[in-house]
Amino acid sequence: LSPLYPVNLRGSVQGKVYVEGSPDDSLLHGGVLVSVYALGAQPGVDAPVAQGESLADGSYRIDEIRPGSYQVLFNRVGTVASGQSPISISAADVTSVGVERLRLARGDLSVIALYEEPPAPSFTHAGVIIKAFFGPRLMGTAVTDNEGNAYLAGLPVGMGYKVQALSEGYVATPVEGVEIERDELSHAGPMNLIKLSGDFRVCATDD
């Protein structure tokens, strides 16, 4: 009798995917959807032949893929999808595609902050410090112009930003729940700064 040998007619793909600094540190590099498509397929139209997710360290491995040429797409909510093509899968072999880096999707924020009583000697709305927080993390800072306008560019997309307006001797209610959308200009305000009386100390945090 001829000896029997185990035969594996399928292969695997592995690699790492890194996500640039994310507002949500708990995700790190995990949760990236790794989709393997037939070469020439249209992601979003055609179904992938295999899928997996990256671990917190960014590593992933997808098994049981038929030998052939494929394209690999990487995506996570809040990032700009990217891919590698072509990759070749061989039977009983592991194909390494190296490291893929995902960029965060970003948008811009326009803020209006106005003094109820503009300070002397300028009597304008300039000089208000605008801070945008996502959770405890400060994501961007800007300063208002004479008309009270401030612009924060390139904020990572997300829902739940908190925007503060800070100026010594004044107080303003923060705007919460601001959403930053990909390649869009979001708006917050107008935020009204009320003059304080007596002793005070401005706390430039998200408290």
Side-chain angles (χ1 to χ4, degrees):
L1 295 175
S2 299
L4 297 177
Y5 296 97
V7 177
N8 186 345
L9 298 180
R10 297 180 181 242
S12 304
V13 61
Q14 68 179 14
K16 280 200 170 185
V17 56
Y18 293 146
V19 181
E20 71 166 302
S22 169
D24 189 349
D25 282 330
S26 65
L27 287 177
L28 297 175
H29 304 295
V32 176
L33 182 63
V34 184
S35 303
V36 181
Y37 289 89
L39 199 61
Q42 299 182 43
V45 177
D46 300 316
V49 300
Q51 284 186 313
E53 281 194 0
S54 63
L55 302 177
D57 66 352
S59 64
Y60 65 89
R61 174 169 169 154
I62 304 173
D63 298 314
E64 298 297 316
I65 305 172
R66 293 182 182 275
S69 295
Y70 296 92
Q71 55 184 323
V72 181
L73 184 69
F74 305 88
N75 195 19
R76 192 177 83 181
V77 174
T79 67
V80 178
S82 66
Q84 293 192 21
S85 174
I87 66 165
S88 180
I89 302 294
S90 301
D93 196 12
V94 179
T95 299
S96 177
V97 297
V99 176
E100 184 74 13
R101 301 183 183 277
L102 283 183
R103 295 184 297 108
L104 291 180
R106 296 178 180 272
D108 303 327
L109 177 64
S110 174
V111 181
I112 300 176
L114 304 174
Y115 290 107
E116 288 196 349
E117 298 179 34
S122 65
F123 296 102
T124 70
H125 300 287
V128 179
I129 299 172
I130 303 298
K131 293 179 178 284
F133 291 88
F134 193 93
R137 178 182 292 187
L138 176 63
M139 304 303 295
T141 303
V143 179
T144 58
D145 60 18
N146 288 342
E147 286 72 43
N149 298 305
Y151 182 76
L152 294 87
L155 296 175
V157 299
M159 182 180 293
Y161 273 80
K162 179 178 180 179
V163 182
Q164 290 184 329
L166 303 168
S167 182
E168 187 173 358
Y170 293 81
V171 63
T173 301
V175 177
E176 301 194 45
V178 177
E179 180 178 6
I180 303 299
E181 299 182 84
R182 179 177 175 179
D183 299 328
E184 296 289 339
L185 177 62
S186 301
H187 301 274
M191 305 171 71
N192 295 317
L193 288 97
I194 301 172
K195 191 171 185 179
L196 296 172
S197 58
D199 295 333
F200 60 87
R201 181 175 65 90
V202 174
C203 182
T205 71
D206 62 334
D207 298 332

